[in-house]
Amino acid sequence: MKDALKNSEFSENQMLTQVGRRFFLRSAGLTAVTGAFILGACQDHDMEPDATVDLGSGDIGILNYAYALEQLEAAFYTQVIDMPYQGMTDMEKRFLTDIRDHEIIHREFFKAALGSAAIQGLEVNFSSVNFMDRASVLGTARVLEDTGVAAYNGAGKYIEDVQYLLVAGKIVSVEARHAAIIRNLLQPMTRYFAGDDIVDPMTGLDVAKEPAMILADAQPLIETRITANNLPK
Amino acid sequence: MNLFKIIDDLQQIDGEAIDRLEHASRRSFISNLGSLSKKAALAAAPVAVASMFNKATAQSAMAVEVLQFALTLEYLEAEFYTMGVNKAGLIPAETMDVFDQIRKHEVAHVKLLENALGLTPNQNKPNFNFNVMGLDPFNNYADFVFLAHAFEDLGVRAYKGQAGNLINDDAILQVALQIHSVEARHAAEVRHILSMMRNNPNIEPWITLAQGEPAPVYAGEDNTTHAGLDVMTVTSKSKEAVTEAFDEPLSKQAVLDIAKPFIVM
């Protein structure tokens, strides 16, 4: 925290503006409407916006990495269901509600499995998403799900405990199911559910990405700054 | 899990496995065991065995076994979709792109695995017969979709069940994971097609409880305990949702038992 305060990237004015805005939003009870809100119940944690969270090392670090991504997904779909976009069909609502529940369950699993080693609840920033617009919501969902798949695919090799590797396997295939059906909602009954943009047509392999790359991609949606310098490489 | 068998296997590919196990178990608070027998090794489990798995070096024999197993399933899927896509009048135009995309991936997986194992095209391909259980998938589209969804869900479980065997082969593990998630994408899409075909919204892209046919393909999918944690104790969500949120592995033997009727050799 003190390091964050000293960080020259953030002027005192910016800090005051952010804190002031957050205070206002909390008071007004409008956090969900603006797209910036607080995840989970973090009574004991300091939630200064410029706090930096380090994921840790070893298997704990990888689990926290997964926990961070699941927090992001759960927060996103919670907002999607709280404010359904115009013209959401019954089928779309059913799928998106199920997906919301799966992501919340993943989040709760990691939080409990990590216990005292768990990182804090992250603050997210969905200001780039228009939750009233189907294309914006489903487009973001697609990116989140494809990112989740690539993240687990790339992180599996760093897991040392065979039980945790298995859990990662149990979750990644559910993320891939989500990705496929979101893609199907965007382009029904085409090749897009497992398109050549995401599955290499020559090898038939899905994407796998290193944690540093995933975090760089995801950081714009996460207000809390995450460092992964101690993750296995 | 047969620990005796695993220790034997490890000893075969790693001549010092027992020595390593002895060392690991000493470090795991078990002292003065003297010459460590396999039985004593069992007593030292799971800490010592887990530790040894992380240390054992020559795991490639196990990896080869995994790849051969995976290839058998990919042969089955590749032939199934190739025959389906090529059968005139079987697959309607609306879903042809989907099934052709799946065919393309399964054929690519076969090539990839054959290359990894140093095999020539179709060198290890069994002969298949898909007209089992009263099904006629190349003349009956409903049967084709039904079998496709079962093969995909089975494939997801098969790869997942082998991940632990690749924990010391990082490169192969990653490739297996990259195939595994593609099978899951396929599974979701085919389940959606099955759902629409049967006008049954209860068939979702994900697996609820242990629901689904054939039953052995979905046996155990209703498990809620993961890494020793019963997830029902940490969430207020329904058991249906909890089981959907985690896909389950299947042992190699269970997968082969399911695949066996399709393989004529």
Side-chain angles (χ1 to χ4, degrees):
Chain A
M1 190 55 49
K2 286 191 178 102
D3 288 344
L5 284 171
K6 275 188 252 167
N7 193 322
S8 59
E9 281 175 56
F10 290 84
S11 71
E12 199 175 351
N13 274 348
Q14 280 177 306
M15 296 266 303
L16 288 173
T17 307
Q18 290 201 26
V19 171
R21 187 188 54 173
R22 280 159 42 86
F23 177 75
F24 166 74
L25 294 172
R26 273 174 161 174
S27 311
L30 287 169
T31 54
V33 179
T34 68
F37 64 104
I38 315 251
L39 285 168
C42 301
Q43 307 89 338
D44 298 331
H45 291 291
D46 193 332
M47 288 299 291
E48 285 287 339
D50 295 324
T52 298
V53 168
D54 188 72
L55 297 176
S57 61
D59 279 2
I60 295 290
I62 297 296
L63 294 186
N64 267 324
Y65 169 54
Y67 179 40
L69 294 175
E70 298 294 351
Q71 287 190 50
L72 179 62
E73 290 184 311
F76 173 75
Y77 290 106
T78 297
Q79 193 156 338
V80 168
I81 297 304
D82 284 353
M83 303 192 298
Y85 53 75
Q86 286 161 4
M88 186 183 284
T89 67
D90 288 350
M91 184 179 76
E92 288 170 352
K93 180 141 199 187
R94 213 174 60 238
F95 287 160
L96 293 166
T97 303
D98 277 5
I99 294 174
R100 176 200 64 183
D101 289 350
H102 303 162
E103 308 297 10
I104 287 174
I105 289 163
H106 293 163
R107 184 189 71 200
E108 288 169 337
F109 166 79
F110 282 115
K111 188 177 187 198
L114 281 157
S116 60
I119 56 168
Q120 67 184 50
L122 301 176
E123 191 180 347
V124 295
N125 180 352
F126 296 133
S127 55
S128 60
V129 183
N130 178 358
F131 283 89
M132 290 294 95
D133 179 60
R134 182 180 184 274
S136 177
V137 167
L138 295 182
T140 305
R142 179 191 67 75
V143 172
L144 284 176
E145 298 299 344
D146 284 339
T147 300
V149 172
Y152 282 101
N153 281 352
K157 61 180 177 289
Y158 296 127
I159 300 176
E160 292 177 8
D161 183 310
V162 73
Q163 283 221 69
Y164 290 134
L165 174 59
L166 179 57
V167 170
K170 292 177 180 206
I171 292 176
V172 65
S173 55
V174 174
E175 304 293 350
R177 290 174 191 270
H178 295 168
I181 206 64
I182 294 287
R183 282 171 163 265
N184 184 81
L185 293 179
L186 286 163
Q187 294 185 28
M189 293 301 134
T190 64
R191 297 173 187 269
Y192 193 59
F193 73 100
D196 292 356
D197 62 316
I198 204 82
V199 179
D200 185 316
M202 296 310 293
T203 60
L205 295 181
D206 213 323
V207 176
K209 280 187 184 172
E210 294 299 306
M213 205 188 226
I214 295 285
L215 289 170
D217 289 350
Q219 190 69 70
L221 296 174
I222 305 175
E223 198 82 0
T224 315
R225 286 202 291 160
I226 295 175
T227 59
N229 302 328
N230 299 311
L231 283 190
K233 287 187 186 80
Chain B
M1 181 165 74
N2 183 339
L3 281 175
F4 282 116
K5 170 109 182 18
I6 289 169
I7 292 167
D8 274 342
D9 286 349
L10 278 170
Q11 186 70 22
Q12 265 192 345
I13 58 171
D14 179 352
E16 292 167 6
I18 293 289
D19 290 343
R20 287 161 182 278
L21 185 52
E22 186 174 18
H23 177 68
S25 63
R26 282 211 175 114
R27 292 194 322 161
S28 310
F29 323 114
I30 296 170
S31 53
N32 298 324
L33 273 175
S35 171
L36 192 72
S37 67
K38 269 191 268 173
K39 191 159 188 182
L42 272 184
V47 177
V49 172
S51 166
M52 190 181 67
F53 269 120
N54 289 337
K55 283 176 171 40
T57 44
Q59 289 288 294
S60 34
M62 201 181 274
V64 167
E65 222 179 290
V66 171
L67 294 180
Q68 285 168 338
F69 167 57
L71 178 57
T72 301
L73 293 180
E74 297 292 352
Y75 275 136
L76 179 139
E77 290 183 312
E79 180 154 312
F80 177 75
Y81 290 110
T82 300
M83 289 180 72
V85 164
N86 288 331
K87 180 68 194 280
L90 176 70
I91 299 175
E94 307 89 72
T95 55
M96 184 55 106
D97 281 352
V98 168
F99 287 112
D100 190 56
Q101 186 76 350
I102 297 177
R103 177 203 57 78
K104 186 171 80 182
H105 294 157
E106 309 300 7
V107 168
H109 294 162
V110 166
K111 279 188 191 149
L112 187 78
L113 294 171
E114 283 180 338
N115 285 340
L117 289 164
L119 301 172
T120 55
N122 288 338
Q123 188 178 335
N124 282 7
K125 191 182 84 62
N127 290 317
F128 296 108
N129 169 30
F130 296 101
N131 285 54
V132 299
M133 302 186 298
L135 300 170
D136 188 9
F138 303 120
N139 290 305
N140 182 332
Y141 177 64
D143 288 355
F144 179 81
V145 174
F146 172 74
L147 266 185
H149 105 286
F151 286 152
E152 296 299 340
D153 281 331
L154 180 66
V156 174
R157 299 193 72 174
Y159 277 97
K160 204 187 316 294
Q162 295 305 309
N165 287 334
L166 300 174
I167 195 161
N168 289 313
D169 278 289
D170 287 353
I172 297 176
L173 171 62
Q174 179 154 316
V175 168
L177 287 170
Q178 288 174 278
I179 298 178
H180 169 248
S181 61
V182 171
E183 302 294 341
R185 287 178 191 266
H186 295 170
E189 186 76 358
V190 179
R191 290 176 67 87
H192 183 55
I193 291 172
L194 184 70
S195 165
M196 303 225 290
M197 187 181 78
R198 293 187 176 177
N199 198 19
N200 180 358
N202 291 326
I203 300 172
E204 297 192 284
W206 26 88
I207 299 164
T208 308
L209 301 171
Q211 291 168 6
E213 294 288 334
V217 173
Y218 299 95
E221 282 282 1
D222 53 350
N223 173 43
T224 61
T225 298
H226 310 288
L229 176 69
D230 184 352
V231 179
M232 292 303 293
T233 65
V234 299
T235 183
S236 57
K237 298 294 179 190
S238 67
K239 184 173 181 183
E240 283 78 2
V242 168
T243 57
E244 287 168 4
F246 296 85
D247 279 339
E248 291 299 306
L250 209 53
S251 73
K252 180 177 173 180
Q253 193 54 55
V255 172
L256 289 177
D257 286 346
I258 293 167
K260 203 173 169 186
F262 299 95
I263 301 174
V264 264
M265 297 311 278

